[in-house]
Amino acid sequence: MKKRSEILNDPKKKMWLMVGSAACAIVLLGFITKLIPKAEVKQAEEKPIPVRAILLEGKPVRDTIVLPGRIEGNADIMIASEKVGRVVEIAAEKGGYGQKGPGPDARG
């Protein structure tokens, strides 16, 4: 007969010993749960609970929020002209979009 230390040093035998122990524990646990009677759950008496109810009315809701703040651009740019001269007219609005014009030599 082999000594206990020889059995525990062999990895295969050690694994089978653990698997067998786990299987026995599961079977034993199953029998124990069948033997223990289940506790009876007592249902509470259903008593009416007093409540208050109100009728809701629909009202218009604003979907905007006004908050104070300051907006800054991601970058500052410098615009320089290619020719020296005097600005006679600014034909675009501040913050508006522009289009490509006929060019600096086209005067009408």
Side-chain angles (χ1 to χ4, degrees), residues 16-98:
W16 283 110
L17 181 65
M18 290 173 60
V19 169
S21 298
C24 289
I26 291 171
V27 170
L28 185 62
L29 191 62
F31 282 125
I32 291 174
T33 56
K34 294 289 182 183
L35 294 175
I36 296 175
K38 292 183 180 178
E40 293 182 22
V41 179
K42 294 182 181 179
Q43 293 185 354
E45 295 178 22
E46 293 186 25
K47 295 180 182 177
I49 300 171
V51 294
R52 285 189 315 175
I54 58 171
L55 183 62
L56 298 178
E57 297 177 9
K59 293 182 180 178
V61 178
R62 285 184 16 187
D63 61 350
T64 58
I65 299 174
V66 179
L67 299 173
R70 191 174 119 166
I71 299 173
E72 292 184 11
N74 290 337
D76 292 331
I77 60 168
M78 295 290 294
I79 299 176
S81 63
E82 294 179 0
K83 296 190 178 189
V84 178
R86 186 169 63 102
V87 176
V88 179
E89 177 186 5
I90 299 176
E93 293 182 25
K94 187 175 182 180
Y97 290 97

Side-chain angles (χ1 to χ4, degrees), residues 1-17:
M1 197 158 155
K2 292 186 178 182
K3 294 181 182 178
R4 180 182 286 175
S5 61
E6 291 175 5
I7 294 173
L8 294 178
N9 287 337
D10 187 12
K12 287 184 180 181
K13 290 181 181 179
K14 190 175 184 180
M15 181 189 68
W16 283 110
L17 181 65

